[in-house]
Amino acid sequence: MAKIRLGFIGVGGIATGRHIPTFRTFDDVEITAVQDVNVERAMKVANELNIPEVCSTIEDMYPHVDAVVVSTPNKFHASISIDAMNNGKHVLCEKPMAMSTEECNAMIEAEERNGVKLHIAYHYRFMKEAIAAKKIIERGTIGDPLVVRVKGLRRRKVPGWGVFTNQELQGGGALIDYGCHLLDLAMYLMGDVKPVEVSSSTYNQLSRTNTVNEWGHFNRDSFEVEDHVSAFIRFNNGASMLFETSWAANIPEDENHISISGAKAGLDVFDMKVNQADEDLMTTMRIDYIKVDEPYSRLQAENFISAIKYNTPLTVKSTEAKEVSKIIEAIYLSSKEQRSIRL
């Protein structure tokens, strides 16, 4: 098979810092085109990386590519991805999938109608801890998940660059930027579950105060999005999730945490251990080594390429990414209306 011709729509930090360097390591991929609303930046990236085409519009890119990576602000994920798929292009779209469940449904319809691949870049699924945790769960070690605890907490790390604090372009803050990764991974580990009820609260008081921030400067007076979220989520199989994420919280240190209490045992994902009990003993088994030879960025790209070339399954299915967006949408609505949301 000929090389996959890959184009980039949006060449901000996530494209130039992760996706482009990663895809350039594959012999069967050729990056042929870039497009960005900032034409000067697109030209600079193309010149530095010897990418042949700088396209003034997205439509101009289509003759030069077989697939595209969409790394624009969240507001444009759905419209650009749908247009690309309607033109027969496979799509790797940055997370979150879209701004609403309705947009997610439209993306899935375009994927199915055009017979192309739509992969959402929830890269936490490709981390070595996630791969090991999935194997442990699939072996039946912990039994059916009952209660899941998720924390994606940063003490003072509001992104002071790009459009991360722009409500119109991003649709939210800490939840839609950071917490969604851990939410997605937790649901992936739980298996085939559907959310049925969400109760939540969102906050943004701390980022409006004049306190230190590790990740640059932002306008505190016009801070539009949430910096802290807490939620309780019920699922159709009776399982529940306690979820919390933040860019800014008065906590001692940052924390990435997923723990699953199952019917037979418990699993801590990032400080990896299995917690068990029988009639005589309570034991904790620590995982000392995880054999995963490639970084998550390459595994994610490899999965996308393999799906295009050989029709292998995508690790992040669009229907699964939609369930994450459904919860995100419900979290914002629950906080706004101060009530539980039934899904």
Side-chain angles (χ1 to χ4, degrees):
M1 180 181 287
K3 287 187 177 184
I4 295 171
R5 300 173 304 158
L6 188 61
F8 280 79
I9 302 171
V11 289
I14 195 67
T16 58
R18 178 181 299 156
H19 294 304
I20 291 177
T22 299
F23 279 108
R24 279 165 59 89
T25 66
F26 288 86
D27 293 335
D28 51 358
V29 174
E30 181 182 5
I31 300 175
T32 54
V34 294
Q35 189 276 336
D36 196 283
V37 293
N38 185 336
V39 179
E40 288 184 4
R41 177 166 177 80
M43 293 180 65
K44 182 175 184 292
V45 170
N47 289 335
E48 289 178 352
L49 301 177
N50 296 317
I51 299 171
E53 300 291 336
V54 178
C55 301
S56 56
T57 69
I58 296 170
E59 291 74 19
D60 291 341
M61 179 181 288
Y62 295 144
H64 305 287
V65 300
D66 306 304
V68 298
V69 177
V70 178
S71 50
T72 64
N74 301 339
K75 179 179 180 178
F76 308 109
H77 284 185
S79 59
I80 292 174
S81 296
I82 290 168
D83 188 65
M85 288 187 285
N86 285 341
N87 280 272
K89 310 306 173 186
H90 306 284
V91 175
L92 173 60
C93 179
E94 256 303 327
K95 58 76 196 166
M97 185 172 178
M99 298 276 271
S100 68
T101 305
E102 183 180 4
E103 287 185 345
C104 292
N105 286 332
M107 293 169 75
I108 293 169
E109 289 171 8
E111 176 189 21
E112 294 173 348
R113 183 174 63 252
N114 294 289
V116 294
K117 304 297 182 182
L118 172 61
H119 200 197
I120 310 303
Y122 279 120
H123 68 259
Y124 273 48
R125 293 195 188 195
F126 297 92
M127 290 181 170
K128 62 181 181 179
E129 295 89 350
I131 294 169
K134 191 68 170 175
K135 287 181 179 179
I136 290 168
I137 292 168
E138 289 179 342
R139 289 170 182 168
T141 302
I142 72 168
D144 293 332
L146 302 176
V147 178
V148 182
R149 302 164 196 85
V150 179
K151 293 182 181 180
L153 301 175
R154 293 171 180 161
R155 183 171 180 172
R156 285 295 192 282
K157 288 189 173 78
V158 178
W161 60 86
V163 296
F164 284 100
T165 61
N166 186 309
Q167 175 68 33
E168 180 185 357
L169 293 179
Q170 292 295 89
L175 170 61
I176 212 165
D177 165 53
Y178 170 41
C180 64
H181 276 301
L182 290 141
L183 177 59
D184 172 76
L185 176 54
M187 291 178 63
Y188 172 62
L189 296 176
M190 291 173 73
D192 185 19
V193 296
K194 305 291 183 185
V196 296
E197 186 176 12
V198 175
S199 182
S200 68
S201 294
T202 65
Y203 309 88
N204 71 356
Q205 292 163 268
L206 297 189
S207 295
R208 292 176 175 273
T209 62
N210 187 25
T211 57
V212 66
N213 184 58
E214 292 187 60
W215 282 2
H217 300 284
F218 60 94
N219 190 333
R220 299 179 187 277
D221 295 331
S222 62
F223 189 80
E224 302 175 300
V225 296
E226 84 288 345
D227 59 19
H228 199 165
V229 175
S230 64
F232 181 77
I233 305 160
R234 298 182 189 274
F235 295 90
N236 60 337
N237 64 346
S240 60
M241 181 186 296
L242 299 105
F243 173 83
E244 186 182 9
T245 190
S246 73
W247 279 340
N250 287 325
I251 53 176
E253 59 189 4
D254 298 353
E255 185 175 1
N256 258 12
H257 175 85
I258 296 176
S259 65
I260 303 173
S261 292
K264 293 168 62 178
L267 172 65
D268 288 359
V269 175
F270 293 107
D271 179 21
M272 185 158 274
K273 54 184 178 286
V274 177
N275 313 300
Q276 296 172 301
D278 58 26
E279 63 275 13
D280 299 312
L281 301 171
M282 290 188 290
T283 59
T284 297
M285 177 180 71
R286 295 190 176 274
I287 310 302
D288 296 324
Y289 177 74
I290 302 169
K291 184 177 177 9
V292 176
D293 296 329
E294 302 284 357
Y296 65 79
S297 56
R298 184 173 174 86
L299 293 175
Q300 177 178 254
E302 189 174 60
N303 184 232
F304 183 53
I305 295 164
S306 179
I308 294 171
K309 293 183 68 174
Y310 308 115
N311 200 34
T312 54
L314 288 168
T315 298
V316 184
K317 298 177 177 62
S318 56
T319 51
E320 295 170 345
K322 183 187 79 169
E323 295 302 312
V324 179
S325 289
K326 186 185 294 185
I327 292 177
I328 291 171
E329 193 173 35
I331 286 175
Y332 287 137
L333 183 61
S334 173
S335 179
K336 180 181 178 181
E337 299 189 356
Q338 289 294 286
R339 65 180 179 90
S340 294
I341 304 298
R342 294 288 299 181
L343 300 171

